[in-house]
């Protein structure tokens, strides 16, 4: 498939993934409001699977874009894992933007640019790898208990990560992905917007990271449930008023 058609196909996939995530997310919020634990678990894991797929398709969209060099796309595709591919995207983008050899990224970058690189790489390494691993577990049917690579024993860390999944965290991670993608877009496409807008995108990205670390997911879920209960009470009161008034 020629590159332009491949890019358009990835964009169509991305739109479908975005819609699917939002549909599953809304259903999950509704399950949280009703306190339906079985549905919460099922839908949260569905959202995690969709976010992991989005992570990969966003990568494919970036590297098949007309603004990303075709030779760089081939080098990214030669990497073994999705995490390695994201890291190679970063190397390729900085090498092109600052006109330094790929082998000299980040050592040959100007000081500020090297700091940009280090910050973006830390985001990829710190939060993408767990999400990719979780996506792989779910894609292999490991929705409750995660196994090791040989699938002959339980992987306690991966199982713990599965059990810790919440919609609140996943929505924040999706927000982080949006800002990271924007930084890479500015890096590869624009002349000045990367440096000009870096602090704004970085602040938004770090704000999402801080909220994830603070872990207010339980408070958020309780808030959804309380609002739901208040809505039910309001509906009951209105219903009684209509009966009293002889309207129903």
């Amino acid at each position: 498939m020629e590159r332009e058609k491949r890019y358009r196909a990835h964009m169509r996939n991305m739109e479908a993934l975005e819609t699917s995530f939002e549909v599953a997310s809304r259903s999950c919020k509704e399950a949280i409001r009703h306190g339906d634990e079985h549905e919460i678990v099922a839908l949260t894991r569905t959202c995690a699977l969709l976010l992991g797929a989005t992570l990969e398709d966003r990568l494919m969209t970036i590297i098949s874009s007309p603004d990303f060099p075709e030779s760089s796309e081939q080098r990214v595709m030669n990497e073994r894992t999705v995490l390695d591919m994201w890291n190679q995207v970063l190397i390729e983008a900085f090498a092109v933007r600052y006109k330094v050899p790929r082998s000299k990224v980040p050592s040959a970058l100007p000081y500020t640019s090297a700091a940009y690189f280090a910050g973006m790489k830390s985001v990829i390494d710190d939060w993408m790898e767990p999400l990719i691993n979780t996506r792989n577990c779910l894609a292999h049917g490991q929705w409750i208990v995660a196994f090791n690579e040989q699938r002959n024993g339980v992987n306690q860390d991966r199982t713990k990560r599965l059990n810790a999944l919440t919609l609140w965290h996943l929505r924040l991670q999706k927000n982080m992905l949006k800002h990271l993608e924007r930084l890479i877009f500015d890096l590869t496409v624009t002349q000045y917007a990367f440096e000009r807008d870096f602090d704004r995108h970085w602040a938004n990205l770090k704000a999402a990271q801080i909220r994830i670390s603070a872990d207010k997911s339980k408070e958020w879920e309780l808030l959804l449930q309380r609002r739901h209960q208040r809505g039910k009470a309001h509906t009951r009161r209105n219903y009684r008023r209509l009966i009293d008034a002889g309207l129903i």
Side-chain angles (χ1 to χ4, degrees), residues 11-44:
M11 288 296 294
R12 289 176 63 194
N13 286 339
M14 181 56 56
E15 290 171 4
L17 283 166
E18 292 281 350
T19 300
S20 299
F21 183 90
E22 289 306 317
V23 169
S25 179
R26 285 197 299 270
S27 296
C28 190
K29 284 177 73 174
E30 194 63 22
I32 292 169
R33 290 187 183 98
H34 289 87
D36 190 328
E37 291 300 327
H38 291 295
E39 286 199 10
I40 292 169
V41 169
L43 289 164
T44 301

Side-chain angles (χ1 to χ4, degrees), residues 39-52:
E39 286 199 10
I40 292 169
V41 169
L43 289 164
T44 301
R45 281 155 174 71
T46 300
C47 287
L49 182 62
L50 289 166
L51 182 57

Side-chain angles (χ1 to χ4, degrees), residues 130-227:
L131 180 59
I132 291 168
N133 285 336
T134 297
R135 195 289 290 268
N136 291 341
C137 288
L138 295 168
H140 291 303
Q142 300 168 23
W143 282 57
I144 303 299
V145 179
F147 285 83
N148 57 23
E149 296 297 336
Q150 295 74 32
R151 303 193 198 183
N152 59 9
V154 174
N155 185 309
Q156 298 293 348
D157 289 339
R158 291 179 182 177
T159 300
K160 184 178 179 181
R161 197 178 296 138
L162 281 175
N163 292 331
L165 286 173
T166 70
L167 180 63
W168 188 79
H169 284 104
L170 292 170
R171 291 189 69 84
L172 286 172
Q173 287 180 314
K174 188 171 183 291
N175 181 267
M176 287 174 63
L177 177 59
K178 179 185 73 174
H179 291 296
L180 180 65
E181 183 190 29
R182 183 68 212 189
L183 284 170
I184 293 174
F185 175 83
D186 286 348
L187 186 63
T188 54
V189 175
T190 63
Q191 291 296 312
Y192 305 108
F194 177 69
E195 290 85 357
R196 184 194 67 200
D197 297 337
F198 183 91
D199 287 345
R200 176 167 56 85
H201 289 301
W202 187 249
N204 290 330
L205 198 154
K206 295 303 289 185
Q209 277 190 312
I210 290 169
R211 291 178 68 194
I212 288 173
S213 298
D215 194 3
K216 300 289 186 180
S217 57
K218 293 299 181 187
E219 290 89 334
W220 179 72
E221 290 173 3
L222 284 172
L223 179 62
L224 289 178
Q225 290 166 1
R226 287 170 185 156
R227 286 176 176 172

Side-chain angles (χ1 to χ4, degrees), residues 23 57 61 74 113 172 227:
V23 169
D57 198 64
T61 303
Q74 290 303 314
S113 304
L172 286 172
R227 286 176 176 172

